[in-house]
Amino acid sequence: MTTAQSRALTARALTARATTRRMLMLVTVLLASASTLIGEAVLTYHSATSLPHCASAAGMDLQGPEWRTELGLRFHQKLVACRADGARTALYATVLWTAGVAVAAVLLYRWLPRWRQRKDRLPELYSAQRIAAAMDGDSGGDERLAHLARLARRAKLPQDRLPGFVCNPRALSAGALAFGSFGRYTVCLNVGLLPRRTTKDRPHFDAVVLHELAHVRNRDVDLAYLAVALWRVFLIAVLLPCLALDAALVLHDRFQSVERAYWDGYEPGAKTALLAVVLTALVYVARADILRHRELVADRDAVFESGSDREVWKKQAESRSAALPRHRLPRFLRNHPTWSERLAEIDNPRSEDKGGTKLQLAVFLVAYVTITYSVISWLKLDAVPAQTVIYLAYLLGPLIIATGFAVFPRRKARSADEASAARAWMYGVIWLIGAFAVNPFANWAQAEDDWAKQAAASLGEMADEIKGWRDGPAVSAAAKDRAAGWYERGGSAVLGRFDTYLPDQAARSDAADAHCAALGATVSDALELPVFPDSGAGGKAWKRLLTSAAEAQALQCRSGYDLDAPNEGAMVSMRYERARTALRQLMPH
């Protein structure tokens, strides 16, 4: 094998790797974006429809103060159980919807080429069988057929990938287009290109046809139509329904003047619209990247593999540069490179592997954040068991890390042999890296709140306590008559249960197990009571009692609680102490 042949094979291997990288990015980004948007839409609809029924079944009034509604949504046992059941149904709907999007994309990918030929009613010039016969010398005296057969031979097309040729009589430009799928490929020649075959512009005719044949040989037709199908299905089956649902709920609430409660902030509005815009831009950029890259590869193959004349690209670059508008889209938003970029790629073909690009790294990071956000959302709703997430993280973590390595740009270029050697050790340690990388995420995702939020809440509640002590007793003499009915309608019984089950401080695991269920049931029953009738110190004490007891119970009784961990015991004890102080203010004397 000659040096030139070796360099050509190396360049082709690196080109295939770059294409695989881009296609993997497109599929990953689209599935991440689709599942996130679908999940948001399903959860929003689930919030609007199921929350009133769950609250009615739990005996809780959602028209009370906002703080009590938020506590009920987070800590009421019946509401949480109802939410978890509905969220699991919503998760199944999201998975099925996402799977349907993938199936629809495959079907559209198969149907698009046929629809294009039927829509345009393109007359056939030569079938693939006639091209194959002409390559064997049976052209029947048809010079144009023999010419196309010679070009197919120069393009080194395998027999199972030989295309048929059709003509577009309505396209007057000197261009061409390849389409098809799975071994049934077609090259469409514009009627404006055909006369150039018999004139001095014959190199232009050869270059255009060889460029399209390079697309066929490299399976770019499959990649391009799959990318187009993914994009269109994303727009039609994901983006439009999600935005329509969001807009319908917003308009309904506004025109009906309804203050509707939603699960954990899953309300329609600007957040969903902004998320849709960001994810749509992400999918579009990933799609444009792969389409633009394959055009450059086809140009390079047409010149270096099939012997096209470089001057064709030079003339196009010179003529188009003078006609281009002064303002055009940035490179990362264009599906096709400019003629100047195509000529530069031909003059300086890349034969080293420099990893990914900065654009691919940015797209990967945003997609990873999107996936993390989606997983945490489902975890907070108890739709997915935390242990299942840990198992999936150990399974998918190495794949995510490997993709990150693949798309990370490198300053120093590497040959194919060097890249293979680097992969050998990388795959050896990737599972170890994944284990340490994903386990902290899984444990962190189970936590109800991080330490900073807990500390901020503690400071705020301590300030409320100081103000309450300054204002005087929890229940003033003027409010006793009004509060008597509240105590008689169940308030005294609930406060007595708090006095029984509320510990003085964070208990060890054996004592905590004895109190968790009872204290949780007490909090749930307290949330069903009417709000304490005193809007002053008594109402603040009631709010502090419910908030502190519920948060302490959730922190201590959650899976993975460790009393000996830094800050854990202190934060739980602080909440129990605040709850005890508020309870003493509310207990009838």
Side-chain angles (χ1 to χ4, degrees):
M1 181 181 296
T2 65
T3 303
Q5 290 174 329
S6 177
R7 291 184 62 184
L9 290 176
T10 299
R12 177 162 295 283
L14 295 173
T15 296
R17 186 181 307 155
T19 300
T20 302
R21 181 186 302 134
R22 284 171 166 84
M23 199 64 202
L24 178 63
M25 285 297 302
L26 175 62
V27 173
T28 302
V29 167
L30 186 134
L31 290 179
S33 301
S35 61
T36 301
L37 277 180
I38 292 171
E40 284 285 321
V42 171
L43 287 174
T44 301
Y45 180 77
H46 166 60
S47 298
T49 56
S50 68
L51 181 53
H53 299 291
C54 291
S56 177
M60 182 179 170
D61 182 15
L62 296 178
Q63 303 303 318
E66 183 178 354
W67 65 265
R68 197 182 70 146
T69 300
E70 292 179 355
L71 280 179
L73 296 179
R74 292 177 60 192
F75 301 115
H76 195 295
Q77 291 182 341
K78 292 181 180 178
L79 275 178
V80 171
C82 185
R83 178 190 68 178
D85 292 340
R88 279 189 286 272
T89 303
L91 178 60
Y92 298 147
T94 301
V95 171
L96 290 176
W97 191 347
T98 305
V101 167
V103 172
V106 173
L107 295 177
L108 183 62
Y109 154 73
R110 293 288 293 168
W111 179 74
L112 272 176
R114 302 176 185 178
W115 174 81
R116 184 182 187 90
Q117 187 160 2
R118 292 176 182 176
K119 176 182 73 74
D120 295 336
R121 297 180 181 179
L122 304 175
E124 185 180 59
L125 296 177
Y126 306 105
S127 65
Q129 291 76 15
R130 291 199 63 187
I131 296 294
M135 290 178 67
D136 294 332
D138 185 14
S139 61
D142 190 334
E143 176 57 28
R144 186 172 61 184
L145 174 60
H147 186 189
L148 293 175
R150 288 193 298 270
L151 294 178
R153 190 178 297 109
R154 286 171 58 183
K156 302 175 184 176
L157 287 174
Q159 290 292 324
D160 62 341
R161 230 172 291 171
L162 288 176
F165 285 84
V166 297
C167 176
N168 188 348
R170 290 176 293 279
L172 303 180
S173 62
L177 176 70
F179 57 89
S181 62
F182 284 131
R184 299 180 59 180
Y185 304 111
T186 301
V187 175
C188 176
L189 305 179
N190 294 347
V191 70
L193 177 67
L194 295 178
R196 299 203 177 196
R197 191 185 69 83
T198 57
T199 64
K200 61 180 181 180
D201 267 351
R202 186 163 182 162
H204 181 97
F205 178 88
D206 291 352
V208 170
V209 175
L210 289 172
H211 173 90
E212 300 303 327
L213 293 178
H215 278 313
V216 174
R217 185 184 69 169
N218 296 335
R219 294 192 183 277
D220 293 343
V221 178
D222 298 289
L223 292 175
Y225 271 95
L226 182 57
V228 171
L230 287 170
W231 169 248
R232 293 184 180 180
V233 169
F234 176 80
L235 291 180
I236 297 172
V238 178
L239 182 63
L240 292 180
C242 292
L243 290 180
L245 175 63
D246 187 75
L249 290 175
V250 169
L251 293 176
H252 176 271
D253 292 351
R254 178 166 299 181
F255 289 134
Q256 298 293 329
S257 299
V258 176
E259 292 293 336
R260 187 170 9 210
Y262 291 89
W263 290 119
D264 290 341
Y266 283 100
E267 68 275 355
K271 184 193 74 170
T272 303
L274 179 61
L275 180 66
V277 170
V278 172
L279 295 181
T280 302
L282 199 69
V283 176
Y284 180 85
V285 168
R287 166 183 171 269
D289 187 40
I290 189 172
L291 294 178
R292 188 173 58 252
H293 170 72
R294 297 316 300 169
E295 289 297 323
L296 296 175
V297 172
D299 285 339
R300 190 174 62 191
D301 285 355
V303 173
F304 294 101
E305 299 286 331
S306 305
S308 294
D309 190 354
R310 170 193 172 278
E311 292 299 315
V312 175
W313 278 263
K314 182 179 179 180
K315 292 178 180 178
Q316 291 292 327
E318 292 173 350
S319 62
R320 298 297 178 90
S321 61
L324 279 176
R326 296 183 61 183
H327 302 286
R328 60 172 180 262
L329 288 175
R331 182 175 183 272
F332 70 92
L333 293 178
R334 288 186 272 112
N335 297 329
H336 280 71
T338 64
W339 284 98
S340 298
E341 292 169 350
R342 298 168 78 162
L343 181 62
E345 177 66 22
I346 291 173
D347 290 339
N348 299 287
R350 289 170 290 183
S351 59
E352 308 90 4
D353 180 20
K354 295 183 179 179
T357 63
K358 294 180 181 179
L359 175 64
Q360 292 172 359
L361 179 62
V363 170
F364 165 76
L365 292 177
V366 176
Y368 180 71
V369 171
T370 300
I371 294 173
T372 305
Y373 167 80
S374 182
V375 171
I376 292 177
S377 298
W378 291 110
L379 275 173
K380 288 175 64 178
L381 294 172
D382 297 327
V384 183
Q387 196 65 31
T388 302
V389 175
I390 294 176
Y391 292 148
L392 289 176
Y394 278 114
L395 180 64
L396 300 178
L399 176 61
I400 295 174
I401 295 173
T403 307
F405 271 108
V407 302
F408 194 83
R410 289 185 294 271
R411 294 183 179 179
K412 182 181 178 182
R414 299 191 304 188
S415 65
D417 294 337
E418 291 172 334
S420 299
R423 286 198 311 276
W425 69 263
M426 183 184 73
Y427 290 141
V429 301
I430 202 165
W431 286 99
L432 182 62
I433 296 175
F436 284 102
V438 302
N439 194 39
F441 158 73
N443 290 334
W444 170 77
Q446 297 177 65
E448 185 66 30
D449 294 310
D450 59 20
W451 187 87
K453 291 183 179 180
Q454 294 174 15
S458 301
L459 292 175
E461 292 180 6
M462 288 174 64
D464 289 341
E465 288 179 26
I466 295 174
K467 185 177 179 181
W469 294 334
R470 183 192 65 192
D471 293 341
V475 183
S476 64
K480 283 186 177 180
D481 291 338
R482 198 154 32 101
W486 182 86
Y487 282 102
E488 293 175 358
R489 288 192 298 270
S492 295
V494 169
L495 292 178
R497 290 169 62 187
F498 271 120
D499 190 40
T500 302
Y501 299 120
L502 192 65
D504 294 319
Q505 60 181 357
R508 295 290 173 180
S509 59
D510 54 349
D513 291 340
H515 288 86
C516 276
L519 184 56
T522 302
V523 170
S524 297
D525 292 342
L527 288 169
E528 297 176 14
L529 288 175
V531 180
F532 192 84
D534 179 16
S535 59
K540 293 178 181 178
W542 177 243
K543 174 183 177 181
R544 191 178 304 118
L545 170 63
L546 293 184
T547 303
S548 300
E551 291 182 351
Q553 192 268 350
L555 285 171
Q556 186 169 7
C557 301
R558 74 168 188 263
S559 175
Y561 170 74
D562 184 5
L563 187 63
D564 297 324
N567 306 314
E568 291 273 5
M571 297 306 298
V572 174
S573 294
M574 185 182 299
R575 280 173 164 76
Y576 278 138
E577 178 61 29
R578 285 200 303 272
R580 273 284 175 189
T581 301
L583 179 62
R584 285 193 293 269
Q585 290 179 288
L586 287 167
M587 289 293 288
H589 301 290

